[in-house]
Amino acid sequence: MSAIISLVLTLTGNGDSGLFFSAWMQAWGTAFWVALPSIFIATPIARRVSSLLISTRVTIQNRLRARKS
C-alpha cells in the first residue's frame, strides 16, 4: 500500500522526470517507515472500536427482540 501511494504522489508531484525512480524509492522508504508503526498503533484501536460497535448493535437487537416478545 505504501508503494502504491508513494508512486501516485511521486508521479503527481514530479511528473515523469529522469529522476523519477530515485524520487519514488526515497518517497517509498519514508512512507514505509511512517506506515509501519502506524499499523501497530491503529490496528488495536480499530479493533476495539469495531468490537464496541458490533457489541452495541447486538445489544440493541437483543433489546428490540425482548420488547417484541
Side-chain angles (χ1 to χ4, degrees):
M1 184 62 73
S2 62
I4 294 169
I5 293 170
S6 63
L7 171 70
V8 170
L9 291 176
T10 303
L11 274 174
T12 58
N14 295 341
D16 193 13
S17 67
L19 301 174
F20 169 74
F21 188 76
S22 174
W24 177 34
M25 288 296 109
Q26 185 176 5
W28 188 10
T30 303
F32 179 80
W33 291 112
V34 170
L36 189 64
S38 298
I39 291 169
F40 291 117
I41 294 169
T43 300
I45 294 169
R47 285 185 180 159
R48 284 188 197 118
V49 169
S50 63
S51 178
L52 286 171
L53 291 173
I54 291 169
S55 67
T56 302
R57 182 176 178 198
V58 169
T59 303
I60 292 170
Q61 287 175 345
N62 289 339
R63 288 181 185 170
L64 291 173
R65 286 184 192 141
R67 286 185 186 172
K68 289 180 181 179
S69 299

